[in-house]
Amino acid sequence: MAQLWGGRFTKATDQKVYDFNASIGFDKRMLFQDICGSIAHARMLGRQGIISETDALSIEEGLKGIFRDVSEGKLKITSKYEDVHSFCEAVLTERVGEAGKRLHTGRSRNDQVALDMRLYTRGVICTCDELLNELLKSILEIMKSNTDTFMPGFTHLQKAQPVTLAHHMGAYFEMFKRDRKRLRSIYERMNECPLGSGALAGTTYPLDRDFVAESLGFDRPTSNSMDSVSDRDYLIEFLDALSIIMMHLSRSCEEIITWNTNEYRFVEIDDTYSTGSSIMPQKKNPDIAELVRGKAGRVYGSLMGLLTVMKGLPLAYNKDMQEDKEGAFDAMDTALSCIDLYSGMLKSMTFNKDIMARSALGGFTNATDAADYMVVKGVPFRDAHSYVGRMVLYCIDKKLSIDEMSLEELKKICPVIEEDFYDAVSLKTCVDKRLTKGAPGPGAMKSEIEESEKFISENAVLKDPLEAFILM
Ligand code: ARG
């Protein structure tokens, strides 16, 4: 047990209490952020004359040494320390002596942890944005090469109207595009530096909060010290964004699982992304898609967990807030690996274009177009709807599709039908005629693809400013 706060106590902490209270087991992953924050703080203390420039320098060198040694495996972060902040300060003091003890001047672990968590989250937001951008590029490739790959569009999981694979994938492009926009807006809102807020009420030292904020790549320091040490909104927003990403991935995985069944065979998941059965030799299972679908629940759980942790907390810092970490880290690890794995699965997947097109021919996906044909010939839509309904019943009985009916059979139900009906209800016409913005028709799809390309080229991936903070 190495504690920062022993002075006021006459008895040692019970071991079970110590273990229960400690966060080192999970906050050690914020070592880099903690050290960058401490270096920025020490440089500022030196510049402001709050500590000597010599002390500031030896603190900086000491901290860099700690980071180097941990990275190289020469120094272990052990449960001897309560949290990553105590670890750094204790080891620093062992290494550089007196100066180490001056590092925490004008700082509390409350604003320190608020800073570390924000820095860590900001970095993950950037990685997430990069992964989503890669995913968007893969989806766009599939769109570009499948503008004439016909497939049924579904409602209620019943065949509805024909679309193309480009159009179907375009829907996911939009979802992940919005996810990227959400990340950017969270980033912009959260990019304020909480350091300098002290325990809750600022400090009496003449800290230069602007300097620290700028050194760490923040847009500005936060405005209210009580809010700064007790705000986890940004994390809730990010967990919310991750939950939505997981929901999008999960919906697509659900479709891939269905499309990969023996019954559909729209797609074939690559061997490298499939798994087998220990008993049934014939099996090739879509485990990765199922796991991504399943892991969505975990990420939602972290969001619910943190909302619940925060809902009853009086201002300002409360130890409950240490509970933000494990769930959030797990959600971040989970969502990032899901985006990555899903991208790989998608890229290596084969689309059985013939089977998709054949499927689009069945199930009366051209029924609406048949009604639209009659409307053009002067039949009111409601009557046309009813005629086509009768055609469908007739076809079900005779095991035909609408375009397999003879002109004579068609005319019996609706006299305005002529020879040109067959072309009007062909799969190609059904898709080609859908020309409204956002529809699967070739013209509309061309503009959608152009817009999508533009989005990618105009929206550079978010970059973590902390990458510029060199410690090695
Ligand atoms: N490990 C703590 C956390 O994650 C650090 C802050 C501790 N502050 C305190 N006043 N006990 O929240």
Side-chain angles (χ1 to χ4, degrees), residues 23 27 83 85 109-110 113 232 317 319 321-322 325:
S23 54
D27 65 20
D83 50 31
H85 328 296
R109 273 186 302 162
N110 298 352
V113 78
R232 296 293 182 274
Y317 178 83
K319 189 67 175 230
M321 292 166 81
Q322 178 167 290
K325 290 178 196 64

Side-chain angles (χ1 to χ4, degrees), residues 172-240:
Y172 284 100
F173 188 97
E174 291 303 305
M175 294 180 226
F176 295 118
K177 177 171 108 181
R178 285 195 295 275
D179 288 329
R180 281 198 65 201
K181 288 184 177 178
R182 230 182 313 276
L183 292 184
R184 181 172 292 272
S185 102
I186 295 169
Y187 181 109
E188 281 165 6
R189 231 180 339 276
M190 64 100 75
N191 201 28
E192 297 184 343
C193 182
L195 201 68
S197 299
L200 77 161
T203 164
T204 53
Y205 299 99
L207 304 186
D208 183 349
R209 292 196 59 205
D210 290 302
F211 173 84
V212 175
E214 204 192 316
S215 318
L216 296 168
F218 287 106
D219 296 328
R220 62 193 82 83
T222 50
S223 297
N224 178 292
S225 60
M226 291 183 80
D227 175 52
S228 310
V229 289
S230 61
D231 167 33
R232 296 293 182 274
D233 290 6
Y234 71 90
L235 192 54
I236 292 173
E237 283 193 50
F238 184 42
L239 292 179
D240 171 70

